[in-house]
Amino acid sequence: MPEQPDFAAHWSLHPSVSLRDESFGAMAYHHGNRRLVFLKSPLLVDVVRQLDDFESADVALEALVADEQRAAVRRALETLTSSDIVRVG
Amino acid sequence: MSVNHSLRDRFESGLAAPICLTWEVTYACNLACRHCLSSSGVRDPRELTTDEAKAFLDEVAAMQIFYINIGGGEPTIRRDFFELVEYGLSRGIGIKFSTNGSRITPEVAQRLAGNDYLDVQISLDGADAATNDALRGEGSYDTAIRAMENLRDAGMKGFKISVVVTRHNVGQIDQLLALADSMNAELRLTRLRPSGRGVDVWDELRLSAADNRALYHWLMAHPTVLTGDSFFHLSALGDPLAGINLCGAGRVVCLIDPVGDVYACPFVIHEQFLAGSILDGGFGHVWRDSELFRSLREPGSPGACASCGSYDACRGGCMAAKFFTGLELSDPDPECVFGHGETALAQRVSVGPRPSPDHSKRVTITSR
Protein backbone atom coordinates (compact mmCIF):
# COMPACT_ATOMS: atom_id res chain seq x y z
CA MET A 1 0.00 0.00 0.00
CA PRO A 2 1.34 3.46 -0.83
CA GLU A 3 1.81 5.77 2.09
CA GLN A 4 -1.15 7.98 2.97
CA PRO A 5 -0.41 11.54 1.79
CA ASP A 6 -0.35 14.28 4.42
CA PHE A 7 -3.63 16.18 4.25
CA ALA A 8 -2.44 18.59 6.93
CA ALA A 9 0.23 19.90 4.54
CA HIS A 10 -0.12 22.57 1.85
CA TRP A 11 -1.14 21.06 -1.50
CA SER A 12 -1.02 22.52 -4.99
CA LEU A 13 -1.43 21.67 -8.64
CA HIS A 14 1.97 20.64 -10.03
CA PRO A 15 3.42 23.52 -12.09
CA SER A 16 4.03 21.18 -15.07
CA VAL A 17 0.34 20.26 -15.23
CA SER A 18 -2.13 21.77 -17.69
CA LEU A 19 -5.86 21.51 -16.99
CA ARG A 20 -8.58 21.73 -19.62
CA ASP A 21 -12.28 21.85 -18.83
CA GLU A 22 -14.45 19.16 -20.38
CA SER A 23 -18.15 18.35 -20.04
CA PHE A 24 -17.40 15.60 -17.47
CA GLY A 25 -14.98 17.71 -15.43
CA ALA A 26 -11.48 18.24 -16.79
CA MET A 27 -8.48 16.56 -18.29
CA ALA A 28 -5.08 17.06 -16.70
CA TYR A 29 -1.81 16.51 -18.47
CA HIS A 30 1.54 16.35 -16.72
CA HIS A 31 4.26 17.51 -19.09
CA GLY A 32 6.96 15.98 -16.91
CA ASN A 33 5.79 12.38 -16.55
CA ARG A 34 3.46 12.66 -19.59
CA ARG A 35 0.49 11.25 -17.74
CA LEU A 36 -3.00 12.10 -18.85
CA VAL A 37 -5.53 12.02 -16.05
CA PHE A 38 -9.28 12.54 -16.06
CA LEU A 39 -10.93 14.52 -13.31
CA LYS A 40 -14.41 13.14 -13.37
CA SER A 41 -16.36 15.81 -11.53
CA PRO A 42 -16.53 19.58 -11.76
CA LEU A 43 -16.35 19.72 -7.95
CA LEU A 44 -13.01 17.90 -7.95
CA VAL A 45 -11.72 20.27 -10.64
CA ASP A 46 -12.77 23.21 -8.52
CA VAL A 47 -10.94 21.86 -5.49
CA VAL A 48 -7.78 21.05 -7.46
CA ARG A 49 -7.69 24.55 -8.95
CA GLN A 50 -8.00 26.18 -5.52
CA LEU A 51 -5.77 23.91 -3.39
CA ASP A 52 -2.91 26.37 -3.57
CA ASP A 53 -5.00 29.07 -1.88
CA PHE A 54 -5.44 27.10 1.34
CA GLU A 55 -2.93 26.35 4.04
CA SER A 56 -3.67 22.61 3.86
CA ALA A 57 -5.65 20.07 1.87
CA ASP A 58 -7.85 19.46 4.92
CA VAL A 59 -8.74 23.14 5.18
CA ALA A 60 -9.48 23.26 1.43
CA LEU A 61 -11.76 20.23 1.68
CA GLU A 62 -13.61 21.70 4.59
CA ALA A 63 -14.11 25.03 2.87
CA LEU A 64 -15.05 23.74 -0.59
CA VAL A 65 -16.74 20.37 -0.20
CA ALA A 66 -19.98 19.41 1.54
CA ASP A 67 -19.69 16.82 4.34
CA GLU A 68 -21.32 13.97 2.44
CA GLN A 69 -18.98 14.36 -0.55
CA ARG A 70 -15.78 14.92 1.34
CA ALA A 71 -14.68 11.28 1.60
CA ALA A 72 -15.04 10.76 -2.16
CA VAL A 73 -13.19 13.94 -3.07
CA ARG A 74 -10.49 13.04 -0.55
CA ARG A 75 -9.96 9.66 -2.23
CA ALA A 76 -9.84 11.28 -5.66
CA LEU A 77 -7.24 13.80 -4.46
CA GLU A 78 -5.17 10.98 -3.07
CA THR A 79 -4.98 9.30 -6.47
CA LEU A 80 -3.90 12.61 -7.99
CA THR A 81 -0.89 12.72 -5.69
CA SER A 82 0.23 9.29 -6.87
CA SER A 83 0.38 10.52 -10.47
CA ASP A 84 2.04 13.75 -9.28
CA ILE A 85 -0.75 15.89 -10.77
CA VAL A 86 -1.07 17.37 -7.32
CA ARG A 87 1.95 18.12 -5.16
CA VAL A 88 2.04 17.69 -1.40
CA GLY A 89 4.09 20.15 0.62
CA MET B 1 -4.53 4.22 -18.33
CA SER B 2 -7.72 2.27 -18.36
CA VAL B 3 -11.00 4.04 -18.64
CA ASN B 4 -14.38 3.24 -17.14
CA HIS B 5 -17.53 2.97 -19.18
CA SER B 6 -19.25 6.26 -18.49
CA LEU B 7 -16.09 8.11 -19.42
CA ARG B 8 -15.77 6.11 -22.60
CA ASP B 9 -19.28 7.19 -23.57
CA ARG B 10 -18.17 10.79 -23.08
CA PHE B 11 -15.24 10.19 -25.40
CA GLU B 12 -17.58 8.74 -27.96
CA SER B 13 -19.55 11.97 -28.02
CA GLY B 14 -16.39 14.05 -28.46
CA LEU B 15 -14.26 16.42 -26.40
CA ALA B 16 -13.71 20.17 -26.39
CA ALA B 17 -10.38 19.52 -28.09
CA PRO B 18 -8.58 16.39 -29.24
CA ILE B 19 -6.44 14.37 -26.82
CA CYS B 20 -4.21 13.27 -29.62
CA LEU B 21 -3.65 15.58 -32.52
CA THR B 22 -1.28 14.50 -35.25
CA TRP B 23 0.17 17.13 -37.54
CA GLU B 24 1.99 15.95 -40.59
CA VAL B 25 4.08 18.93 -41.59
CA THR B 26 5.31 17.72 -44.96
CA TYR B 27 4.67 14.97 -47.48
CA ALA B 28 8.35 15.11 -48.45
CA CYS B 29 10.42 12.15 -47.35
CA ASN B 30 13.90 10.84 -47.97
CA LEU B 31 12.64 7.29 -47.50
CA ALA B 32 9.90 5.42 -49.33
CA CYS B 33 8.65 2.93 -46.75
CA ARG B 34 6.45 0.29 -48.34
CA HIS B 35 3.73 0.68 -45.70
CA CYS B 36 3.76 4.50 -45.41
CA LEU B 37 0.34 5.43 -44.02
CA SER B 38 0.37 8.86 -45.69
CA SER B 39 1.79 7.75 -49.08
CA SER B 40 4.56 10.29 -48.56
CA GLY B 41 7.47 11.06 -50.84
CA VAL B 42 7.12 14.35 -52.68
CA ARG B 43 6.48 17.73 -51.08
CA ASP B 44 3.06 19.21 -51.83
CA PRO B 45 3.54 22.73 -53.25
CA ARG B 46 0.55 23.93 -51.20
CA GLU B 47 2.30 22.99 -47.92
CA LEU B 48 1.47 25.43 -45.09
CA THR B 49 3.81 28.41 -44.92
CA THR B 50 5.75 29.18 -41.76
CA ASP B 51 3.24 31.90 -40.86
CA GLU B 52 0.25 29.63 -41.45
CA ALA B 53 1.91 26.92 -39.38
CA LYS B 54 2.55 29.35 -36.51
CA ALA B 55 -1.03 30.62 -36.62
CA PHE B 56 -2.14 27.01 -36.30
CA LEU B 57 0.13 26.52 -33.26
CA ASP B 58 -1.38 29.66 -31.71
CA GLU B 59 -4.80 28.09 -32.04
CA VAL B 60 -3.59 24.77 -30.60
CA ALA B 61 -2.33 26.69 -27.55
CA ALA B 62 -5.59 28.64 -27.25
CA MET B 63 -7.60 25.41 -27.34
CA GLN B 64 -5.40 24.05 -24.54
CA ILE B 65 -4.38 21.01 -26.54
CA PHE B 66 -1.71 19.58 -24.25
CA TYR B 67 0.57 18.08 -26.84
CA ILE B 68 0.75 17.32 -30.52
CA ASN B 69 2.41 14.59 -32.51
CA ILE B 70 4.35 15.90 -35.46
CA GLY B 71 5.03 13.57 -38.35
CA GLY B 72 5.16 13.50 -42.11
CA GLY B 73 6.77 12.59 -44.46
CA GLU B 74 10.02 13.20 -42.71
CA PRO B 75 9.20 16.33 -40.68
CA THR B 76 12.81 17.44 -40.20
CA ILE B 77 13.07 17.98 -43.95
CA ARG B 78 11.06 21.20 -43.56
CA ARG B 79 13.57 24.03 -43.40
CA ASP B 80 11.58 25.74 -40.64
CA PHE B 81 11.09 22.50 -38.67
CA PHE B 82 13.08 23.47 -35.57
CA GLU B 83 11.70 27.01 -35.73
CA LEU B 84 8.18 25.59 -35.57
CA VAL B 85 9.06 23.17 -32.77
CA GLU B 86 10.56 25.97 -30.72
CA TYR B 87 7.59 28.19 -31.43
CA GLY B 88 5.18 25.48 -30.25
CA LEU B 89 7.21 24.82 -27.11
CA SER B 90 7.27 28.53 -26.32
CA ARG B 91 3.46 28.47 -26.38
CA GLY B 92 3.42 25.68 -23.77
CA ILE B 93 2.52 22.93 -26.22
CA GLY B 94 4.13 19.54 -25.64
CA ILE B 95 5.61 18.23 -28.86
CA LYS B 96 6.49 14.72 -29.87
CA PHE B 97 7.86 14.25 -33.33
CA SER B 98 8.38 11.10 -35.37
CA THR B 99 11.46 10.79 -37.49
CA ASN B 100 13.46 8.21 -39.37
CA GLY B 101 16.48 9.64 -37.56
CA SER B 102 18.36 10.91 -40.59
CA ARG B 103 18.71 14.45 -39.18
CA ILE B 104 19.33 13.51 -35.55
CA THR B 105 23.03 14.34 -35.45
CA PRO B 106 24.90 14.57 -32.13
CA GLU B 107 24.39 18.37 -32.25
CA VAL B 108 20.64 18.09 -32.84
CA ALA B 109 20.38 15.42 -30.12
CA GLN B 110 22.02 17.85 -27.69
CA ARG B 111 19.44 20.50 -28.57
CA LEU B 112 16.57 18.06 -28.03
CA ALA B 113 17.67 16.49 -24.76
CA GLY B 114 16.46 17.75 -21.45
CA ASN B 115 13.26 19.51 -22.46
CA ASP B 116 10.27 18.02 -20.64
CA TYR B 117 7.91 19.36 -23.27
CA LEU B 118 9.74 17.69 -26.15
CA ASP B 119 9.74 14.02 -27.07
CA VAL B 120 11.20 12.17 -30.03
CA GLN B 121 10.05 8.99 -31.68
CA ILE B 122 12.38 7.05 -33.96
CA SER B 123 10.71 4.70 -36.41
CA LEU B 124 12.19 1.23 -36.70
CA ASP B 125 10.45 -1.81 -38.14
CA GLY B 126 12.79 -4.64 -37.27
CA ALA B 127 15.41 -5.73 -34.75
CA ASP B 128 17.98 -6.22 -37.48
CA ALA B 129 18.89 -4.43 -40.68
CA ALA B 130 17.54 -7.15 -42.95
CA THR B 131 14.04 -7.09 -41.44
CA ASN B 132 13.86 -3.31 -41.10
CA ASP B 133 15.40 -2.36 -44.43
CA ALA B 134 13.13 -4.69 -46.40
CA LEU B 135 10.30 -2.36 -45.41
CA ARG B 136 11.99 1.01 -44.89
CA GLY B 137 14.82 0.92 -47.41
CA GLU B 138 18.50 0.13 -47.43
CA GLY B 139 20.55 1.85 -44.74
CA SER B 140 17.52 2.96 -42.74
CA TYR B 141 18.30 0.59 -39.85
CA ASP B 142 21.79 1.99 -39.40
CA THR B 143 20.44 5.55 -39.65
CA ALA B 144 17.85 4.89 -36.94
CA ILE B 145 20.32 3.18 -34.61
CA ARG B 146 22.79 6.06 -35.00
CA ALA B 147 20.04 8.56 -34.13
CA MET B 148 19.15 6.54 -31.02
CA GLU B 149 22.79 6.42 -29.94
CA ASN B 150 23.05 10.17 -30.42
CA LEU B 151 19.95 10.75 -28.28
CA ARG B 152 21.16 8.36 -25.59
CA ASP B 153 24.62 9.91 -25.55
CA ALA B 154 23.07 13.37 -25.26
CA GLY B 155 21.30 12.18 -22.12
CA MET B 156 17.79 12.07 -23.56
CA LYS B 157 15.71 9.64 -21.53
CA GLY B 158 12.49 7.95 -22.49
CA PHE B 159 12.44 8.77 -26.17
CA LYS B 160 10.35 6.32 -28.14
CA ILE B 161 11.29 3.57 -30.55
CA SER B 162 8.19 3.12 -32.66
CA VAL B 163 7.61 -0.18 -34.42
CA VAL B 164 4.80 -1.12 -36.77
CA VAL B 165 4.21 -4.77 -35.96
CA THR B 166 4.29 -7.05 -38.99
CA ARG B 167 4.50 -10.79 -39.43
CA HIS B 168 8.24 -10.38 -40.06
CA ASN B 169 9.08 -8.53 -36.86
CA VAL B 170 6.46 -9.87 -34.43
CA GLY B 171 8.95 -12.56 -33.41
CA GLN B 172 11.49 -9.87 -32.53
CA ILE B 173 9.55 -7.84 -29.99
CA ASP B 174 11.61 -9.10 -27.04
CA GLN B 175 14.78 -8.05 -28.89
CA LEU B 176 13.21 -4.68 -29.68
CA LEU B 177 12.35 -4.19 -26.02
CA ALA B 178 15.95 -5.02 -25.09
CA LEU B 179 17.14 -2.50 -27.67
CA ALA B 180 14.88 0.17 -26.15
CA ASP B 181 16.24 -0.62 -22.68
CA SER B 182 19.82 -0.32 -23.92
CA MET B 183 19.01 3.12 -25.37
CA ASN B 184 17.20 4.40 -22.25
CA ALA B 185 14.19 4.54 -24.54
CA GLU B 186 10.64 3.25 -24.44
CA LEU B 187 9.24 0.77 -26.91
CA ARG B 188 6.08 1.66 -28.79
CA LEU B 189 4.32 -0.96 -30.89
CA THR B 190 1.58 -0.02 -33.32
CA ARG B 191 -0.78 -1.82 -35.59
CA LEU B 192 -0.14 -2.13 -39.32
CA ARG B 193 -3.08 -0.53 -41.09
CA PRO B 194 -3.99 -0.85 -44.75
CA SER B 195 -3.65 2.95 -45.05
CA GLY B 196 -1.62 4.88 -47.62
CA ARG B 197 0.83 2.56 -49.36
CA GLY B 198 0.06 0.08 -46.58
CA VAL B 199 -2.94 -1.02 -48.60
CA ASP B 200 -0.60 -2.72 -51.06
CA VAL B 201 1.35 -4.69 -48.45
CA TRP B 202 -1.30 -5.32 -45.82
CA ASP B 203 -2.12 -8.86 -46.93
CA GLU B 204 1.56 -9.72 -47.12
CA LEU B 205 2.59 -8.18 -43.79
CA ARG B 206 -0.39 -8.37 -41.47
CA LEU B 207 -0.38 -10.62 -38.43
CA SER B 208 -1.99 -14.04 -38.42
CA ALA B 209 -4.73 -14.76 -35.89
CA ALA B 210 -2.17 -16.73 -33.84
CA ASP B 211 0.29 -13.80 -33.96
CA ASN B 212 -2.44 -11.44 -32.78
CA ARG B 213 -3.32 -13.68 -29.84
CA ALA B 214 0.33 -14.00 -28.84
CA LEU B 215 0.80 -10.24 -29.17
CA TYR B 216 -2.22 -9.56 -26.94
CA HIS B 217 -0.80 -11.74 -24.17
CA TRP B 218 2.65 -10.20 -24.60
CA LEU B 219 1.21 -6.69 -24.30
CA MET B 220 -0.77 -7.69 -21.19
CA ALA B 221 2.49 -8.99 -19.70
CA HIS B 222 4.42 -5.83 -20.66
CA PRO B 223 2.21 -2.90 -19.58
CA THR B 224 5.03 -0.36 -19.92
CA VAL B 225 5.19 -0.91 -23.67
CA LEU B 226 3.27 1.86 -25.43
CA THR B 227 0.75 1.10 -28.17
CA GLY B 228 -0.89 4.42 -29.05
CA ASP B 229 -4.10 2.55 -28.20
CA SER B 230 -3.82 0.89 -31.60
CA PHE B 231 -4.51 -2.74 -30.65
CA PHE B 232 -7.87 -2.20 -29.00
CA HIS B 233 -9.45 -4.70 -31.40
CA LEU B 234 -7.49 -7.36 -29.46
CA SER B 235 -9.20 -6.43 -26.19
CA ALA B 236 -11.99 -8.83 -27.16
CA LEU B 237 -9.57 -11.63 -26.20
CA GLY B 238 -9.97 -10.96 -22.49
CA ASP B 239 -9.21 -8.14 -20.11
CA PRO B 240 -8.96 -4.80 -21.90
CA LEU B 241 -5.56 -3.49 -22.94
CA ALA B 242 -4.54 -0.16 -21.42
CA GLY B 243 -6.17 2.75 -23.22
CA ILE B 244 -9.52 4.10 -24.27
CA ASN B 245 -10.46 1.00 -26.26
CA LEU B 246 -12.62 2.61 -28.87
CA CYS B 247 -12.11 4.21 -32.27
CA GLY B 248 -11.12 7.79 -31.47
CA ALA B 249 -11.50 9.15 -35.00
CA GLY B 250 -13.01 12.62 -34.89
CA ARG B 251 -13.80 12.09 -31.21
CA VAL B 252 -10.47 12.30 -29.41
CA VAL B 253 -8.11 12.06 -32.38
CA CYS B 254 -7.60 13.82 -35.69
CA LEU B 255 -4.99 14.56 -38.30
CA ILE B 256 -3.88 17.83 -39.87
CA ASP B 257 -2.09 17.15 -43.14
CA PRO B 258 0.71 19.28 -44.66
CA VAL B 259 -1.69 21.49 -46.62
CA GLY B 260 -3.92 22.09 -43.59
CA ASP B 261 -6.63 19.57 -44.37
CA VAL B 262 -8.22 17.96 -41.33
CA TYR B 263 -8.93 14.22 -41.42
CA ALA B 264 -10.67 12.09 -38.81
CA CYS B 265 -7.51 10.19 -37.94
CA PRO B 266 -3.97 9.67 -39.27
CA PHE B 267 -5.01 6.42 -40.91
CA VAL B 268 -7.87 7.71 -43.06
CA ILE B 269 -6.29 10.19 -45.46
CA HIS B 270 -9.13 9.93 -47.95
CA GLU B 271 -11.71 12.44 -49.15
CA GLN B 272 -14.49 10.52 -47.41
CA PHE B 273 -12.91 11.39 -44.04
CA LEU B 274 -11.91 14.94 -44.83
CA ALA B 275 -13.58 17.23 -42.29
CA GLY B 276 -12.37 20.61 -43.58
CA SER B 277 -9.32 22.84 -43.70
CA ILE B 278 -7.65 24.88 -40.98
CA LEU B 279 -7.30 27.64 -43.59
CA ASP B 280 -11.06 27.89 -43.75
CA GLY B 281 -12.12 29.37 -40.41
CA GLY B 282 -9.48 27.70 -38.23
CA PHE B 283 -8.99 24.30 -36.66
CA GLY B 284 -11.39 24.85 -33.76
CA HIS B 285 -14.21 25.48 -36.19
CA VAL B 286 -13.51 22.21 -38.00
CA TRP B 287 -13.16 20.26 -34.74
CA ARG B 288 -16.42 21.56 -33.28
CA ASP B 289 -18.63 22.02 -36.30
CA SER B 290 -17.67 19.73 -39.17
CA GLU B 291 -20.54 17.54 -40.25
CA LEU B 292 -18.23 14.56 -40.53
CA PHE B 293 -16.99 14.88 -36.94
CA ARG B 294 -20.51 15.43 -35.65
CA SER B 295 -21.65 12.25 -37.34
CA LEU B 296 -18.67 10.28 -35.98
CA ARG B 297 -19.68 11.41 -32.49
CA GLU B 298 -23.18 9.97 -32.78
CA PRO B 299 -23.62 6.81 -30.72
CA GLY B 300 -22.29 4.01 -32.90
CA SER B 301 -24.47 1.19 -34.12
CA PRO B 302 -22.97 -2.26 -33.50
CA GLY B 303 -23.92 -3.23 -37.05
CA ALA B 304 -22.85 -6.77 -37.91
CA CYS B 305 -21.31 -7.08 -34.43
CA ALA B 306 -24.64 -6.67 -32.61
CA SER B 307 -24.91 -10.35 -31.68
CA CYS B 308 -21.31 -10.64 -30.50
CA GLY B 309 -20.87 -10.74 -26.73
CA SER B 310 -17.55 -8.92 -27.04
CA TYR B 311 -18.81 -5.82 -28.85
CA ASP B 312 -18.34 -3.77 -25.72
CA ALA B 313 -14.67 -4.81 -25.55
CA CYS B 314 -13.64 -3.73 -29.05
CA ARG B 315 -16.59 -1.66 -30.31
CA GLY B 316 -16.18 -3.11 -33.77
CA GLY B 317 -12.51 -2.19 -34.13
CA CYS B 318 -10.69 0.18 -36.44
CA MET B 319 -12.58 2.28 -38.97
CA ALA B 320 -9.54 2.75 -41.22
CA ALA B 321 -8.80 -0.98 -41.32
CA LYS B 322 -12.36 -1.65 -42.45
CA PHE B 323 -12.52 1.17 -44.96
CA PHE B 324 -9.32 0.41 -46.84
CA THR B 325 -10.00 -3.31 -46.99
CA GLY B 326 -13.33 -2.62 -48.67
CA LEU B 327 -15.51 -3.53 -45.71
CA GLU B 328 -18.54 -1.57 -44.56
CA LEU B 329 -18.00 0.53 -41.43
CA SER B 330 -20.72 -1.58 -39.79
CA ASP B 331 -18.71 -4.76 -40.50
CA PRO B 332 -16.36 -6.35 -37.98
CA ASP B 333 -12.72 -5.30 -37.95
CA PRO B 334 -10.88 -7.28 -40.67
CA GLU B 335 -8.66 -8.67 -37.89
CA CYS B 336 -11.54 -9.46 -35.52
CA VAL B 337 -10.13 -11.96 -33.03
CA PHE B 338 -13.08 -14.28 -33.54
CA GLY B 339 -12.51 -14.49 -37.29
CA HIS B 340 -15.68 -12.56 -38.21
CA GLY B 341 -13.52 -10.13 -40.20
CA GLU B 342 -12.14 -12.90 -42.37
CA THR B 343 -15.70 -13.92 -43.18
CA ALA B 344 -16.58 -10.35 -44.10
CA LEU B 345 -13.43 -10.04 -46.25
CA ALA B 346 -14.35 -13.22 -48.10
CA GLN B 347 -17.80 -11.83 -48.86
CA ARG B 348 -16.86 -8.34 -50.03
CA VAL B 349 -17.90 -7.54 -53.55
CA SER B 350 -15.22 -4.99 -54.42
CA VAL B 351 -11.63 -4.21 -53.44
CA GLY B 352 -11.07 -1.34 -51.05
CA PRO B 353 -10.88 2.31 -52.11
CA ARG B 354 -7.47 3.68 -53.10
CA PRO B 355 -5.90 6.16 -50.70
CA SER B 356 -6.06 9.75 -51.91
CA PRO B 357 -4.15 12.00 -52.19
CA ASP B 358 -1.00 10.04 -53.02
CA HIS B 359 2.36 11.82 -52.69
CA SER B 360 4.52 8.79 -53.47
CA LYS B 361 7.59 9.38 -55.55
CA ARG B 362 7.19 8.36 -59.16
CA VAL B 363 8.95 5.09 -59.73
CA THR B 364 10.98 4.86 -62.90
CA ILE B 365 10.99 1.37 -64.27
CA THR B 366 14.15 0.64 -66.17
CA SER B 367 14.11 -2.19 -68.63
CA ARG B 368 16.96 -4.60 -68.52
Side-chain angles (χ1 to χ4, degrees):
Chain A
M1 278 297 287
E3 213 178 301
Q4 169 91 5
D6 182 7
F7 280 81
H10 173 256
W11 288 31
S12 60
L13 188 63
H14 194 287
S16 295
V17 171
S18 307
L19 272 186
R20 181 175 88 216
D21 289 325
E22 289 288 349
S23 56
F24 55 82
M27 296 203 322
Y29 180 68
H30 192 307
H31 287 276
N33 63 29
R34 306 218 165 87
R35 289 174 85 158
L36 186 65
V37 173
F38 304 90
L39 311 189
K40 285 174 260 178
S41 88
L43 174 64
L44 176 63
V45 179
D46 216 35
V47 173
V48 165
R49 281 219 162 93
Q50 295 186 59
L51 277 172
D52 195 32
D53 301 335
F54 292 88
E55 60 175 270
S56 74
D58 273 333
V59 174
L61 281 168
E62 200 161 321
L64 302 171
V65 184
D67 290 352
E68 63 275 17
Q69 289 173 304
R70 208 167 289 151
V73 174
R74 210 180 145 90
R75 274 196 302 276
L77 281 179
E78 215 174 300
T79 65
L80 295 178
T81 64
S82 62
S83 50
D84 212 21
I85 296 292
V86 161
R87 254 188 344 186
V88 180
Chain B
M1 176 192 69
S2 162
V3 168
N4 68 16
H5 280 208
S6 65
L7 199 54
R8 194 160 74 159
D9 292 339
R10 301 281 192 161
F11 290 154
E12 217 164 45
S13 59
L15 297 170
I19 294 179
C20 178
L21 184 152
T22 301
W23 180 26
E24 295 184 346
V25 293
T26 184
Y27 279 120
C29 194
N30 53 340
L31 297 184
C33 303
R34 295 179 65 210
H35 58 330
C36 178
L37 61 94
S38 57
S39 307
S40 284
V42 180
R43 180 179 175 274
D44 192 307
R46 298 168 300 153
E47 199 166 88
L48 296 179
T49 64
T50 304
D51 285 345
E52 286 167 341
K54 286 183 176 175
F56 169 61
L57 289 169
D58 287 339
E59 198 179 4
V60 166
M63 288 175 75
Q64 295 181 280
I65 295 169
F66 304 127
Y67 57 90
I68 59 175
N69 301 308
I70 293 183
E74 170 52 42
T76 61
I77 283 182
R78 261 191 84 123
R79 263 190 230 120
D80 58 3
F81 175 71
F82 287 105
E83 182 185 346
L84 294 178
V85 167
E86 273 158 28
Y87 187 80
L89 294 173
S90 76
R91 313 291 302 195
I93 304 165
I95 291 180
K96 178 172 83 175
F97 72 88
S98 294
T99 174
N100 57 37
S102 53
R103 308 276 167 117
I104 309 297
T105 60
E107 296 72 35
V108 168
Q110 283 293 343
R111 276 173 75 184
L112 301 174
N115 187 327
D116 271 358
Y117 282 63
L118 185 61
D119 198 3
V120 183
Q121 182 165 295
I122 310 280
S123 302
L124 185 78
D125 292 330
D128 54 55
T131 310
N132 176 80
D133 292 5
L135 209 52
R136 306 184 56 82
E138 207 179 317
S140 59
Y141 177 85
D142 290 340
T143 300
I145 296 291
R146 210 172 309 123
M148 292 173 202
E149 289 168 348
N150 290 341
L151 289 170
R152 180 192 59 194
D153 295 347
M156 181 117 180
K157 286 198 172 57
F159 69 88
K160 315 294 181 278
I161 299 175
S162 189
V163 178
V164 176
V165 185
T166 69
R167 74 177 56 168
H168 300 305
N169 66 25
V170 68
Q172 303 177 333
I173 49 181
D174 284 303
Q175 281 166 268
L176 288 160
L177 184 56
L179 172 69
D181 286 342
S182 76
M183 295 289 180
N184 298 327
E186 292 179 43
L187 180 64
R188 180 174 185 267
L189 300 179
T190 61
R191 180 179 182 186
L192 172 77
R193 273 92 162 191
S195 310
R197 286 194 292 273
V199 73
D200 296 322
V201 292
W202 188 74
D203 268 324
E204 174 197 333
L205 298 177
R206 72 186 173 111
L207 300 185
S208 67
D211 288 338
N212 268 323
R213 270 195 303 277
L215 177 62
Y216 166 80
H217 292 292
W218 192 91
L219 289 171
M220 291 301 280
H222 296 85
T224 59
V225 171
L226 306 166
T227 63
D229 213 6
S230 66
F231 294 107
F232 69 92
H233 62 302
L234 303 184
S235 285
L237 284 166
D239 288 332
L241 292 163
I244 295 171
N245 285 301
L246 73 99
C247 165
R251 295 162 168 165
V252 298
V253 173
C254 74
L255 170 81
I256 317 293
D257 92 340
V259 304
D261 283 340
V262 184
Y263 293 92
C265 96
F267 306 99
V268 285
I269 300 182
H270 186 278
E271 59 191 18
Q272 194 166 323
F273 297 98
L274 175 60
S277 166
I278 64 167
L279 299 177
D280 191 12
F283 169 65
H285 169 60
V286 178
W287 177 258
R288 286 185 297 269
D289 304 326
S290 99
E291 261 177 59
L292 173 71
F293 284 0
R294 281 169 181 261
S295 71
L296 289 173
R297 292 166 194 165
E298 298 288 322
S301 146
C305 302
S307 61
C308 177
S310 293
Y311 176 72
D312 203 43
C314 78
R315 302 244 172 154
C318 171
M319 185 175 83
K322 300 181 208 195
F323 181 72
F324 285 119
T325 52
L327 299 182
E328 300 294 326
L329 300 188
S330 56
D331 277 333
D333 189 289
E335 294 182 277
C336 163
V337 297
F338 302 117
H340 301 312
E342 298 293 344
T343 312
L345 286 173
Q347 289 171 1
R348 74 199 145 152
V349 287
S350 61
V351 294
R354 296 297 304 173
S356 64
D358 187 338
H359 292 81
S360 301
K361 287 170 190 156
R362 293 229 170 71
V363 180
T364 321
I365 298 169
T366 46
S367 52
R368 280 187 262 191

